Amino acid sequence: QVQLVESGGGLVQPGGSLRLSCAASGRIFSLNSMGWYRQAPGKQRELVAVTIGGGTTHYADPVKGRFTISRDNAKNTVYLQMNSLKPEDTAVYYCNTYIHPTTYWGQGTQVTVSS
């Protein structure tokens, strides 16, 4: 069984920064992809960033150049550094991993960007 626990969300002003963390327990291997998704009120959940075993990363266009995903395999933790935050980044952010045949999700952490 795999559990994902996010932390680091909060209220931040436009232009500010936050770092989200996702601690994984269970059978997580360095080759497993791990990602961050977000869901704003009234919208579908969308991919923000993903890191694949070997260091490959992928970002959604709205966050390119502002967000950075990284992982510490020794700690089974994935991070999302968010800079230059905008009000449209406001959402619940979820950590995700896929270990065949199951997709696992964390409980989510709220990020609110507002002045």
Side-chain angles (χ1 to χ4, degrees):
Q1 186 69 15
V2 173
Q3 288 188 322
L4 304 174
V5 179
E6 302 99 333
S7 60
L11 173 64
V12 63
Q13 292 187 342
S17 298
L18 282 175
R19 189 177 82 153
L20 306 183
S21 299
C22 172
S25 61
R27 294 190 65 193
I28 298 290
F29 301 102
S30 61
L31 294 180
N32 289 127
S33 65
M34 295 191 74
W36 288 96
Y37 287 69
R38 67 187 182 186
Q39 187 167 18
K43 295 188 177 181
Q44 290 188 332
R45 192 172 296 188
E46 62 180 6
L47 174 68
V48 175
V50 62
T51 176
I52 303 169
T56 302
T57 57
H58 172 77
Y59 297 92
D61 286 342
V63 307
K64 283 181 179 177
R66 300 188 297 122
F67 291 10
T68 302
I69 189 170
S70 62
R71 65 194 294 169
D72 184 334
N73 291 326
K75 296 181 178 180
N76 275 348
T77 300
V78 63
Y79 305 97
L80 185 68
Q81 178 66 45
M82 305 185 295
N83 299 327
S84 302
L85 283 161
K86 305 175 181 180
E88 51 263 44
D89 295 318
T90 294
V92 178
Y93 284 70
Y94 296 92
C95 181
N96 158 284
T97 190
Y98 174 76
I99 301 173
H100 184 78
T102 305
T103 298
Y104 296 92
W105 295 93
Q107 82 287 352
T109 185
Q110 177 71 46
V111 172
T112 302
V113 184
S114 175
S115 55

